[in-house]
Amino acid sequence: MKVIHFLNWKLETIEKELENIKKQGFDAIQINPMQKFKEEKEFKWWSSYQPLNFEVGNMFGSKEDLKKLCKKVEAHGIDII
């Protein structure tokens, strides 16, 4: 499996790149955790890995953005981690 990690990318930006991702031979994409996290205002790369709860949505996208991305990656035959 060939995985590309989109560290700190907004979900809408990833969505725009799905065609290129597939053309480059990737089977899966890895995104940041989608829960709210402590340090969103003073963001550091590791902040999103310190979730506060299980509520979905943060600076990378909303719950609806995540649902939309999941449908689009499935249509391209790509897994999401």
Side-chain angles (χ1 to χ4, degrees), residues 50-66:
Q50 297 181 328
L52 293 174
N53 55 41
F54 291 106
E55 183 181 337
V56 177
N58 57 33
M59 66 187 285
F60 302 115
S62 67
K63 184 175 185 175
E64 293 307 313
D65 292 334
L66 181 59

Side-chain angles (χ1 to χ4, degrees), residues 63-75:
K63 184 175 185 175
E64 293 307 313
D65 292 334
L66 181 59
K67 287 179 181 180
K68 187 177 169 187
L69 180 63
C70 287
K71 285 182 183 179
K72 296 224 174 173
V73 296
E74 184 178 3

Side-chain angles (χ1 to χ4, degrees), residues 10-45:
K10 293 193 177 286
L11 299 181
E12 63 185 25
T13 306
I14 296 169
E15 186 180 330
K16 292 175 186 173
E17 294 297 323
L18 289 177
E19 194 69 38
N20 291 328
I21 294 165
K22 188 65 177 177
K23 285 180 185 176
Q24 293 174 9
F26 290 99
D27 303 305
I29 61 171
Q30 182 176 349
I31 62 172
N32 285 73
M34 290 303 300
Q35 296 97 329
K36 300 279 184 202
F37 51 90
K38 292 195 288 187
E39 307 287 335
E40 198 163 331
K41 291 183 181 173
E42 294 183 32
F43 182 71
K44 308 275 190 293
W45 73 266

